[in-house]
Amino acid sequence: MSIIHLLFDTGTIRSLDGFYGWLVKIIGAGLSLAVIWVNLIVLVDMYVATIILLSVVLGLVFLLVAPTARADAGPPGPIDLVLSGLGFACGLYFSFTADTIMIRISLFDPLTLWQQVFGILLVVLTFEATRRTVGLGLTAIVGLFVLYNLFGDLLPGVLGHGRITIQHALDMMFYTTDGIFGVPVRVALTYAYLFVLFGTVLNAVGGGDFFLALASAATGRSPGGPAKVAVVSSGLYGMFSGSPTSDVVTTGSMTIPMMKRIGISAKRAAAIEVTASTGGSLMPPVMGSAAFIMAEFTGIEYREIVIAAIIPALLYYLGVYTQVHALARRGNLGAGEVPFESLGEAMRLGWIFIIPLAIILVTLWMGYGPSFVAGYGTGAVFVVALFTERTRRGLVKSIKVLVRTGDVRELARLVMEGLVKSIEMLAETARRTIPVVAACAAAGLVIGGLSMTGLSMKLSNLILLIAGDSALLTLILAACVTIILGMGMPTPSAYILAAILVAPALLKMDFGLLEAHMFLLYFAVLSAITPPVAVAAYAAAAIAGGNPVAIAATAVRFGIAAFVVPFGFVYAPTLLMQGTATDVLPNALASCLGVLALAASFEGFLFAPLSNLQRLIGVLLGTAVVVTPGSQLEVFAALTVALAVWIAFTWQRSRLKYST
C-alpha cells in the first residue's frame, strides 16, 4: 500500500485566503473568461491560444497545489512562486515569438538557444505539474516514453528506432501541433473546459441539490433507498462533471453515510458510490473530456458519439441498479432516512434546472459544435439562476427596501454578492480543470514521441502477433492493456494512450472506427474502479473508512455489466444506434435481459436466493446474450433467461400467496 500511495498520492490542495486567495481567484476567473472569449466570441489562432492558456494553468498549479500530500496547506513557498512565475514566463515567450514559430520549417530551421531553453523548461514544469496533480504514476510512465524517445535507438530488434537528438525531440514536442500543444490540451482547454464550467455553475446555483432531490423522490422510499439514491444521483451529477473522483467526493459524502446507516457495509457502500460515479463518464451528453478527444482523434461528430453512447450507458446503470436492488431484497434492507420529497414537490422546487439540460440536448440535436452547446447551456444556467427561489427572495426584499426607503444599498449588496459568486464559480472551474489539463499536457509529450518513433504501430503489431486471427483475444488484450495504461490516470489520459497504442490493432481486425474507440473509452473509464490502483476507490475509502483495494474489487462486481457490454457493441454496432429501429430495438431489449441475468447472478438473488449452480448458469447465459447480439445463440440465451425470470417470479408470487 505504501508503494501505491507513493505512486498515486497528489499534492495537497491549498486553502488560500487573503492576498493569495484573491490572486488565484482573479487569475482563475480571468482564465475562464479567456476560454469563453477564444471559443465563443472571437477567432484566435488555436496554437497561440493553447500556449497562453496552458501557461496560465501551469502558473496556477504551483500556487494551488502543494508539492506533496503531507505538505502544509498554507500559502505557496518561494520555490512554488518561482515555478509559477516560470510558467507564466513560458506563456509570454511563446506568445511573443508565435509568429516566428508558425513560419519556421520544422526539423529544417534549427532551434535557437532560447527556444531550446524554454522547451526544456516546459518539459520540467509539465512533469512537476503532472506529479502534483495526478501523481508520480503517470509522471513515471511519461518519463519512460521520453527516455524511449531519446535512447530507444540503443534497443535491439523491432523496439529500436533511429537516433533522435534532444533538439529533434524539442522541435516535435513544442514547435509543432503534434506534441504538447496538440489535440489533448486543445480539447481540454476548449470543449472540456466549457462543459466543466457548465457543471460548476449548475451545481453552484442548486442544480446538484435538485438532482439529489429528484433521485431521492424517485427511489428513496424503496428497499435500499439510500443506495438507489446514490446510483441515480451520481449518474445524473456525473453526466456533467465527467470526473469519477469528484463525483464520489460530491455525492458520496452524503450517500455513503446514509447507506451505512441502513446496514450496508462500508466496503459495499463505498463500492456502490464508486461504480455509480464512474458511470457518469460514460453517460451522455458530456461523457467527460474523453468524448471530445475521441471526436478530435476519429473525426466522428460529437453528436454521433453521444447518440451511440446512450444504450451502453443505460445498460451500465441497469446493471448497477439491479444489483443494488437485489442486495437490498436479499438483506431485507429498508428505505432508511433519506432526504426525499415527493416527485411532484421536487419538480416544483427545481424544474427550472431542466431548462439548461434541454437546451444542451436541443443544440446538440441541431448540430452545433460542443463549444457552442456548452456555451448556450452555461448561459441558460445563469439566466435560470435569476429565477431560483433564493434569488427571487433576495430581489423582492431589495426592491421592497428600495421602494420603502429609497436606499439602494441592499440592491447594491445583492448585485455585489452575485458578482463575487460569479468570480468564485469561474475560479472554481479553473481549479477543477487543472488536473485534466496537466494530464493532457503530459499525454501530449507521449504523442509527440510516438509520432517520431512509430511505437504505436509496433505495439499494435505485437498485440496482433499474440492474438493471431482471434478477434476475441484481440479485444481481451486491448481491454487489459487499456486498463493497465489507465491505472492512476484521469480518463482522458488513459483514453489518449489507448487510442494511439491499441486502436490500430482493433482497426486492423476490421472493427469499425466508432466501435473500436468506444470500446477503448469504456475500459479507460473502468480503470478508475479496477484494482489495484482505482483512483475513485481511494476517494471513497476516505469517506467510508474502508480498504481502497477491497472497495475497488467490490466495485468491479457491481459494475460487471460494463466489462461485458463493450464486447457486445463491438460485435453488433446496433447497440451503438447503428442501424434502423427494427435492428436496434430487439438487440437492446435482449441485452437488457442479459444484464439483468448478470446482475442477479453476481448478487445471488432473483426474487429468492440463488444457488451457486444457478448463479453460474445465469452468468453464462447473461454473457452470451450481451456479447452475441443478433445471433441464434443470443435468441436461445435470451429466451432461456426470460423463461427463468418468469418461473422465478411466478414461484415467488405463489409462495407469498400460500404463506398469507
Side-chain angles (χ1 to χ4, degrees):
M1 290 299 294
S2 59
I3 296 177
I4 290 177
H5 280 294
L6 175 65
L7 289 175
F8 301 103
D9 270 353
T10 58
T12 301
I13 304 296
R14 292 188 170 106
S15 301
L16 300 176
D17 51 18
F19 171 76
Y20 286 113
W22 275 106
L23 177 64
V24 166
K25 285 181 182 179
I26 291 171
I27 295 174
L31 175 64
S32 297
L33 291 174
V35 170
I36 294 171
W37 181 262
V38 301
N39 279 283
L40 304 177
I41 300 176
V42 298
L43 290 176
V44 178
D45 184 89
M46 285 310 300
Y47 180 75
V48 176
T50 306
I51 289 171
I52 297 173
L53 297 176
L54 177 60
S55 68
V56 175
V57 169
L58 290 174
L60 281 174
V61 166
F62 302 110
L63 294 177
L64 275 171
V65 186
T68 66
R70 294 184 176 87
D72 183 20
I79 295 178
D80 299 310
L81 294 175
V82 170
L83 292 175
S84 178
L86 290 174
F88 291 119
C90 285
L92 291 174
Y93 172 78
F94 279 93
S95 300
F96 285 126
T97 60
D99 291 340
T100 303
I101 292 172
M102 286 188 287
I103 63 173
R104 67 180 295 275
I105 302 174
S106 181
L107 301 181
F108 180 80
D109 294 334
L111 297 176
T112 66
L113 176 61
W114 282 113
Q115 286 174 334
Q116 294 180 53
V117 168
F118 276 96
I120 293 172
L121 183 58
L122 260 182
V123 172
V124 174
L125 292 176
T126 300
F127 267 84
E128 177 59 11
T130 305
R131 186 193 67 79
R132 291 193 184 197
T133 57
V134 183
L136 188 59
L138 174 59
T139 311
I141 291 173
V142 176
L144 289 175
F145 276 105
V146 172
L147 290 175
Y148 175 75
N149 298 337
L150 297 176
F151 303 108
D153 60 301
L154 303 177
L155 294 176
V158 295
L159 289 179
H161 58 73
R163 186 169 181 270
I164 297 175
T165 65
I166 293 178
Q167 288 78 10
H168 181 181
L170 290 175
D171 198 335
M172 293 297 295
M173 296 285 190
F174 301 103
Y175 298 98
T176 71
T177 56
D178 292 330
I180 197 170
F181 301 124
V183 169
V185 170
R186 187 166 67 245
V187 170
L189 289 170
T190 52
Y191 318 145
Y193 198 107
L194 290 171
F195 269 106
V196 171
L197 174 62
F198 171 80
T200 302
V201 175
L202 183 65
N203 190 54
V205 300
D209 296 334
F210 169 64
F211 291 147
L212 183 60
L214 200 61
S216 298
T219 62
R221 297 176 184 271
S222 60
K228 293 174 180 176
V229 170
V231 173
V232 177
S233 63
S234 297
L236 291 172
Y237 185 82
M239 282 194 301
F240 301 100
S241 70
S243 169
T245 305
S246 66
D247 293 354
V248 167
V249 173
T250 303
T251 60
S253 58
M254 179 176 293
T255 59
I256 290 175
M258 290 194 306
M259 284 187 273
K260 291 171 67 176
R261 282 198 291 271
I262 66 169
I264 298 177
S265 67
K267 179 179 70 175
R268 283 181 172 165
I272 290 168
E273 179 58 47
V274 165
T275 311
S277 295
T278 299
S281 296
L282 300 169
M283 179 65 77
V286 179
M287 301 172 60
S289 307
F292 308 122
I293 297 173
M294 185 197 298
E296 289 286 335
F297 265 116
T298 62
I300 300 171
E301 281 191 25
Y302 175 70
R303 178 178 62 174
E304 185 177 346
I305 293 173
V306 168
I307 293 172
I310 293 174
I311 293 177
L314 293 177
L315 291 174
Y316 180 104
Y317 278 101
L318 174 64
V320 179
Y321 191 92
T322 301
Q323 279 197 249
V324 166
H325 180 72
L327 171 66
R329 293 297 303 273
R330 183 164 58 88
N332 293 318
L333 302 178
E337 295 181 4
V338 293
F340 62 77
E341 307 169 47
S342 69
L343 192 59
E345 183 68 12
M347 289 297 294
R348 186 186 68 81
L349 294 175
W351 68 269
I352 198 168
F353 293 113
I354 296 177
I355 294 176
L357 311 185
I359 288 176
I360 280 186
L361 295 175
V362 169
T363 49
L364 266 176
W365 184 258
M366 293 174 64
Y368 285 90
S371 294
F372 285 98
V373 170
Y376 287 132
T378 304
V381 175
F382 275 106
V383 173
V384 161
L386 299 175
F387 298 92
T388 60
E389 188 174 352
R390 179 183 173 187
T391 304
R392 287 201 310 269
R393 285 200 305 263
L395 190 59
V396 169
K397 179 182 176 182
S398 299
I399 292 174
K400 285 181 178 179
V401 172
L402 179 62
V403 172
R404 188 174 66 251
T405 65
D407 190 349
V408 299
R409 285 180 296 181
E410 184 66 23
L411 185 60
R413 184 197 62 78
L414 184 65
V415 172
M416 184 57 66
E417 181 182 298
L419 179 61
V420 171
K421 189 171 183 178
S422 297
I423 292 174
E424 290 175 344
M425 288 188 292
L426 293 170
E428 176 65 14
T429 301
R431 189 191 67 78
R432 291 187 179 189
T433 312
I434 280 175
V436 177
V437 175
C440 286
L445 293 176
V446 175
I447 291 174
L450 292 175
S451 65
M452 291 184 286
T453 62
L455 180 61
S456 58
M457 296 307 301
K458 295 174 184 177
L459 182 59
S460 296
N461 290 333
L462 180 60
I463 291 175
L464 293 173
L465 180 64
I466 296 172
D469 295 329
S470 173
L472 178 60
L473 185 54
T474 302
L475 289 173
I476 293 173
L477 288 174
C480 292
V481 170
T482 303
I483 288 174
I484 292 170
L485 290 173
M487 285 185 177
M489 287 194 194
T491 297
S493 300
Y495 167 72
I496 290 167
L497 293 180
I500 296 171
L501 296 172
V502 184
L506 298 182
L507 296 177
K508 284 185 178 180
M509 294 298 293
D510 291 329
F511 291 118
L513 183 65
L514 174 62
E515 298 91 86
H517 280 266
M518 190 70 78
F519 181 90
L520 296 177
L521 174 61
Y522 255 70
F523 284 99
V525 170
L526 291 175
S527 66
I529 65 173
T530 308
V533 186
V535 289
Y538 281 84
I543 300 172
N547 183 307
V549 176
I551 290 171
T554 308
V556 168
R557 195 186 78 185
F558 278 110
I560 191 63
F563 290 87
V564 178
V565 168
F567 290 89
F569 64 61
V570 165
Y571 283 118
T574 51
L575 291 180
L576 297 179
M577 298 283 200
Q578 306 296 298
T580 64
T582 54
D583 296 325
V584 171
L585 192 57
N587 285 338
L589 293 176
S591 295
C592 287
L593 277 176
V595 168
L596 289 173
L598 280 171
S601 301
F602 267 82
E603 200 53 48
F605 188 90
L606 178 65
F607 303 112
L610 300 175
S611 68
N612 289 335
L613 179 59
Q614 289 172 323
R615 295 174 70 176
L616 176 60
I617 294 173
V619 169
L620 294 176
L621 288 174
T623 303
V625 172
V626 176
V627 303
T628 60
S631 68
Q632 292 181 345
L633 177 59
E634 181 208 31
V635 175
F636 169 76
L639 290 175
T640 305
V641 169
L643 179 62
V645 171
W646 180 78
I647 291 173
F649 174 74
T650 304
W651 175 83
Q652 176 68 4
R653 187 174 60 176
S654 62
R655 190 176 69 87
L656 291 174
K657 182 178 180 181
Y658 177 78
S659 63
T660 55

